[in-house]
Amino acid sequence: AQSVTQPDIHITVSEGASLELRCNYSYGATPYLFWYVQSPGQGLQLLLKYFSGDTLVQGIKGFEAEFKRSQSSFNLRKPSVHWSDAAEYFCAVGPYSGGYQKVTFGTGTKLQVIP
Amino acid sequence: DAMVIQNPRYQVTQFGKPVTLSCSQTLNHNVMYWYQQKSSQAPKLLFHYYDKDFNNEADTPDNFQSRRPNTSFCFLDIRSPGLGDTAMYLCATSRDGRGGTGDTQYFGPGTRLTVL
């Protein structure tokens, strides 16, 4: 069965500092990988996704993520955090091909940005 | 703009009183999903429709049902809400849930349901 682990429940960074959110996945074949962001009381917005090809993926709002098959990781990064980035971030994994695409979410990482 | 719309955004109901949540989409996607997200937890898939085909997750309580009268609309019915059903309910769509290359789920803003 597929699964996602986000080991950091809560992270605090200073505005302007760099950010890395960790995500490890378990999946038996080539996965689809996603990062979503959720502001308080809102739905999930897609930041970026990886299906195949270049392992460094660029997303919206200046975010990027790197797929590392050997480490089963898909960490999210941003070089300089803005106060508006404070939100909860969810990593998710889905099957690459065939069958019904059931996406499994991690438990999320809450990001706090301090001045 | 094409989007996923959920109504109402906030719903309060009484224990045992049936409630219906609505989702509509202008993306013309084949697949519509309903997720339940409790406070500080990951979204949990309840069921999905591929076109008119209904697919229930094995651990979704019988209390939760869904209808999809046409491509654009999907409803979540909770027949007898319990206190434990207080949660955010998220609707999502995808073009083709069968794992086609580039498939992505797009989420609505959610309905926050409170059962008193």
Side-chain angles (χ1 to χ4, degrees), chain A residues 6-62:
Chain A
Q6 293 181 248
D8 303 307
I9 297 173
H10 191 271
I11 281 183
T12 300
V13 298
S14 298
E15 190 170 13
S18 63
L19 172 70
E20 182 169 29
L21 302 182
R22 295 183 291 166
C23 173
N24 292 97
Y25 69 90
S26 173
Y27 190 71
T30 304
Y32 280 156
L33 292 161
F34 308 85
W35 275 100
Y36 285 87
V37 61
Q38 186 177 34
S39 298
Q42 300 296 317
L44 278 74
Q45 181 183 20
L46 180 69
L47 283 176
L48 47 78
K49 59 190 178 187
Y50 171 79
F51 294 139
S52 64
D54 193 346
T55 56
L56 185 62
V57 180
Q58 302 296 321
I60 63 171
K61 303 185 180 187

Side-chain angles (χ1 to χ4, degrees), chain B residues 6-114:
Chain B
Q6 292 189 242
N7 285 303
R9 294 293 311 278
Y10 301 91
Q11 177 76 55
V12 179
T13 191
Q14 293 180 335
F15 181 94
K17 185 175 181 181
V19 65
T20 295
L21 309 183
S22 169
C23 178
S24 64
Q25 53 124 345
T26 60
L27 297 161
N28 202 32
H29 283 174
N30 287 330
V31 193
M32 296 186 78
Y33 309 79
W34 279 104
Y35 289 85
Q36 179 192 62
Q37 186 183 23
K38 295 187 177 181
S39 182
S40 300
Q41 295 185 19
K44 176 180 179 295
L45 183 65
L46 295 172
F47 27 60
H48 79 281
Y49 273 94
Y50 184 89
D51 196 10
K52 294 182 180 180
D53 294 332
F54 177 71
N55 297 269
N56 200 28
E57 293 300 301
D59 57 354
T60 298
D62 292 340
N63 200 27
F64 290 83
Q65 311 223 321
S66 185
R67 297 171 283 135
R68 190 178 185 185
N70 53 54
T71 300
S72 300
F73 284 86
C74 194
F75 299 98
L76 170 62
D77 301 308
I78 308 177
R79 292 191 297 183
S80 182
L83 299 179
D85 297 329
T86 292
M88 174 80 89
Y89 290 86
L90 297 166
C91 175
T93 72
S94 66
R95 185 179 61 206
D96 184 331
R98 300 291 162 93
T101 301
D103 203 19
T104 300
Q105 292 188 24
Y106 296 90
F107 285 80
T111 294
R112 184 169 295 281
L113 175 68
T114 302

